[in-house]
């Protein structure tokens, strides 16, 4: 089992390749290990069309970033600067923090970090005759674009990065099959779960589904149940501390 052999329990992470560090560190502080089953990696769309999409999105009345990755890739393409009378919105506290690192201190984010919580923000309640720049990836936050347009927004979609599919790590699958300690699946993306399940053989799928899932939203709870997880608990959001807090219900008092 490698360096995590002595861990008392494990987090199974489906995050993109190279983005497990924060969850790994948070788990380690609780005495846990992490098994990475990345179904894709994030790749910039640094072409003329993407740059033009981003330029138009950043000039909109409302600028909405769907992830820290969207902020990171946007800032690599051009400097981020908030104009007077604009509203900049992040889907959650992690995305808002990413904007802050690039000088956008006045961005707002919902307390409930999912599409429904985002759409409940007053800044998105009346969008008639207003332009909205949505900075995202293809298929990211699928509910948002039609919901914003239904509210009258003139939508400028900037799809500036891609989720490039990857084969699930053979090492990760071996660790999953050999796992004897308690474990749970951190679920922050229904798409990632589908992508992983499509790659797993029947025995590996059964092994994954016997572990409980911690879902970052009510929508993801439904996705986990539909996928076949026998036990699902809901976290307050997708951040590592929120996932770990919800996971406390899954284990004995020995969970720290």
């Amino acid at each position: 089992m490698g360096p995590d052999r002595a861990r008392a329990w494990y987090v199974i992470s489906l995050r993109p390749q190279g983005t497990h560090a924060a969850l790994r560190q948070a788990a380690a502080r609780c005495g846990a290990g992490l098994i990475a089953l990345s179904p894709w990696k994030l790749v910039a769309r640094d072409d003329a069309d993407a740059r033009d999409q981003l330029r138009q999105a950043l000039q909109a009345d409302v600028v909405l970033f769907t992830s820290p990755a969207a902020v990171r890739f946007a800032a690599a393409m051009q400097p981020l600067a908030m104009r007077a009378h604009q509203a900049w919105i992040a889907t959650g506290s992690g995305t808002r923090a990413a904007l802050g690192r690039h000088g956008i201190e006045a961005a707002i984010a919902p307390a409930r970090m999912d599409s429904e919580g985002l759409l409940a923000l007053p800044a998105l309640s009346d969008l008639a005759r207003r332009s909205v720049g949505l900075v995202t990836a293809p298929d990211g936050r699928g509910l948002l674009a039609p919901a914003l347009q239904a509210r009258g927004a003139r939508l400028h979609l900037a799809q500036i990065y891609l989720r490039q599919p990857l084969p699930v790590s053979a090492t990760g699958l071996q660790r999953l099959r050999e796992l004897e300690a308690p474990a749970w699946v951190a679920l922050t993306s229904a798409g990632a779960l589908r992508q992983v399940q499509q790659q797993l053989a029947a025995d590996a799928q059964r092994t994954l589904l016997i572990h409980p899932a911690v879902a970052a939203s009510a929508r993801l709870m439904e996705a986990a149940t539909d996928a076949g997880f026998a036990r699902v608990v809901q976290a307050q959001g997708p951040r590592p501390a929120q996932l770990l807090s919800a996971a406390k219900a899954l284990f004995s008092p020995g969970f720290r």
Side-chain angles (χ1 to χ4, degrees):
M1 291 291 296
D4 287 333
R5 181 182 297 277
R7 298 298 191 183
W9 57 275
Y10 291 82
V11 182
I12 300 167
S13 174
L14 311 184
R15 293 190 57 77
Q17 185 182 70
T19 66
H20 302 281
L23 184 55
R24 188 188 302 277
Q25 291 164 6
R29 289 193 290 270
C30 297
L34 183 141
I35 297 174
L37 299 179
S38 296
W40 49 45
K41 63 180 178 179
L42 306 181
V43 180
R45 275 192 66 216
D46 192 9
D47 54 60
D49 187 41
R51 289 192 292 272
D52 185 59
Q53 288 179 12
L54 180 61
R55 180 186 58 79
Q56 293 185 52
L58 295 182
Q59 293 173 354
D61 300 319
V62 178
V63 184
L64 199 164
F65 288 81
T66 61
S67 68
V71 176
R72 183 174 74 251
F73 287 119
M77 292 169 71
Q78 71 169 79
L80 302 183
M82 186 174 178
R83 297 186 293 111
H85 309 300
Q86 276 187 317
W88 282 44
I89 299 176
T91 51
S93 57
T95 305
R96 181 173 57 189
L99 285 168
R101 290 192 290 272
H102 291 282
I104 308 300
E105 302 292 345
I108 60 176
R112 176 179 166 179
M113 290 186 282
D114 57 17
S115 296
E116 292 78 7
L118 189 69
L119 291 167
L121 287 173
L124 294 177
S125 63
D126 183 6
L127 296 175
R129 299 179 297 280
R130 303 196 76 196
S131 57
V132 176
L134 183 60
V135 186
T136 188
D139 303 320
R141 297 278 177 170
L143 293 175
L144 278 182
L148 295 169
Q149 290 174 313
R151 295 181 181 190
R154 291 182 285 109
L155 191 66
H156 298 283
L157 188 62
Q159 297 177 328
I160 63 168
Y161 69 102
L162 303 171
R163 297 178 178 89
Q164 186 176 97
L166 292 174
V168 174
S169 160
T171 299
L173 285 176
Q174 181 179 356
R175 295 184 69 199
L176 176 67
R177 287 188 168 104
E178 295 177 354
L179 189 59
E180 295 180 355
W184 53 274
V185 179
L187 185 56
T188 58
S189 164
L193 176 59
R194 286 193 299 270
Q195 189 77 10
V196 167
Q197 286 194 293
Q198 286 170 8
Q199 295 191 48
L200 297 186
D203 67 316
Q205 284 219 41
R206 288 192 296 271
T207 301
L208 181 70
L209 295 173
I210 63 173
H211 300 293
V214 176
S217 69
R219 179 175 55 83
L220 288 169
M221 278 195 74
E222 293 181 10
T225 302
D226 291 344
F229 285 96
R231 187 176 182 195
V232 186
V233 297
Q234 183 178 343
Q236 291 298 311
R239 304 194 77 178
Q242 294 170 318
L243 296 168
L244 288 161
S245 178
K248 290 180 180 180
L250 299 172
F251 295 106
S252 71
F255 183 99
R256 287 186 272 166

